[in-house]
Amino acid sequence: MNKDREYDLIVTIVNRGNADIVIEASKKAGAQGGTVFYGRGTGINEVETFFGISIQPEKEVVFTLIKHDLTKSVIHAIIEKAGLSTPGKGIAFALPVDDVAGITHLTTPCSVEGR
Amino acid sequence: MTQKTCPVPQNLKFVFTIVKRDVGEAVAAFYRSHAISYNFISPGYGAAGLEIRDYLGFSETEKDIVISVCTEEELAKVLPAVVEEFDLEKPDSGILFSIPVAGISGPRALLYVTGYEEEVQENSNDGEKKESGDE
């Protein structure tokens, strides 16, 4: 794995309605924004039945593209503000990103790593 | 029976293209015309930009997230073309990034996402052809 990559993708999965908290926390920690889409959780905290009917909890998935050196501080800000250290509140993880385009406000118009 | 995941070619990538709502279809068509056949479009919402625009309700936040699978070589060829075609150099027009794929559920899935599903279909259709020949 290329250790000196420039960008990471932070994926945060929270209960529906909490994406705004994640976005706000990540922006305060240095991110430029994010993309939100909807999902459905099936973890141990989500399996609840109500009079025999299982309730499917809706989730929001937040994609935050961030410079590698900011990843740690942004992910810690998200954990703190969204309360991710509490079970059932959500999870966050970061993935390595190779090629990036369209981040005009962060870098040169089109940068391709390792070429 | 235990099932193993399929080893993935080192250079396989997941490409995320996030564009304005309803542009996703055009992005997928563009990738298809460049022989990247697996494209998955999901609706999403953008959260970038000036906060004041959010208060005023001016910001168009609805997005399409296009998830495609291709090799590093294919991406290197198509990336400048995508940037030009969809004006990704312009602010607010969209972003693109790729993530390396570490594993996949099986050889059939690998063939499917890399665009060789036609070969698999041809093989599976052999039986049907024989049957129709008997008639």
Side-chain angles (χ1 to χ4, degrees):
Chain A
M1 190 60 67
N2 184 12
K3 290 248 170 163
D4 38 76
R5 61 180 184 272
E6 208 180 336
Y7 288 93
D8 282 333
L9 176 76
I10 299 174
V11 182
T12 316
I13 304 166
V14 287
N15 294 324
R16 188 152 306 177
N18 288 0
D20 289 345
I21 300 167
V22 175
I23 297 286
E24 204 179 304
S26 59
K27 273 186 179 174
K28 272 190 184 152
Q32 296 287 325
T35 307
V36 185
F37 65 104
Y38 296 144
R40 181 168 62 83
T42 55
I44 49 164
N45 293 299
E46 281 79 14
V47 184
E48 281 182 24
T49 50
F50 189 70
F51 290 115
I53 302 157
S54 63
I55 299 158
Q56 299 288 3
E58 292 170 320
K59 302 283 178 189
E60 277 174 331
V61 184
V62 186
F63 278 175
T64 314
L65 200 57
I66 190 80
K67 284 215 167 195
H68 179 61
D69 48 357
L70 281 172
T71 303
K72 243 183 187 173
S73 56
V74 171
I75 215 163
H76 280 297
I78 291 170
I79 290 166
E80 196 187 319
K81 296 283 177 195
L84 300 190
S85 43
T86 310
K89 290 289 272 183
I91 57 167
F93 53 90
L95 299 170
V97 168
D98 288 340
D99 306 304
V100 172
I103 322 281
T104 41
H105 47 287
L106 283 183
T107 181
T108 47
C110 173
S111 69
V112 181
E113 256 186 34
R115 261 178 269 281
Chain B
M1 198 178 96
T2 55
Q3 213 165 13
K4 286 179 182 169
T5 55
C6 186
V8 166
Q10 272 283 301
N11 54 7
L12 202 67
K13 297 279 176 76
F14 243 57
V15 185
F16 287 77
T17 315
I18 302 173
V19 288
K20 279 181 186 155
R21 184 66 58 89
D22 298 332
V23 182
E25 203 66 55
V27 174
F30 188 80
Y31 280 130
R32 268 199 300 276
S33 71
H34 285 74
I36 297 170
S37 57
Y38 184 82
N39 300 288
F40 178 86
I41 306 171
S42 170
Y45 295 88
L50 300 168
E51 271 178 44
I52 187 76
R53 283 162 69 193
D54 295 338
Y55 290 126
L56 296 171
F58 287 156
S59 54
E60 188 197 357
T61 61
E62 290 191 321
K63 304 280 181 199
D64 270 345
I65 302 163
V66 187
I67 304 167
S68 320
V69 181
C70 69
T71 62
E72 198 172 356
E73 291 76 28
E74 281 174 328
L75 180 62
K77 272 187 218 159
V78 79
L79 192 124
V82 175
V83 171
E84 198 183 327
E85 179 78 16
F86 297 98
D87 270 342
L88 297 188
E89 288 184 11
K90 252 173 42 185
D92 268 359
S93 54
I95 63 167
L96 179 154
F97 54 89
S98 74
I99 290 170
V101 177
I104 199 157
S105 61
R108 188 169 273 269
L110 177 64
L111 291 172
Y112 180 59
V113 297
T114 48
Y116 297 110
E117 77 277 16
E118 283 158 19
E119 287 175 23
V120 177
Q121 276 175 358
E122 276 170 22
N123 293 338
S124 62
N125 286 342
D126 284 350
E128 290 171 23
K129 277 177 194 167
K130 277 174 194 166
E131 279 172 22
S132 59
D134 291 338
E135 285 171 10

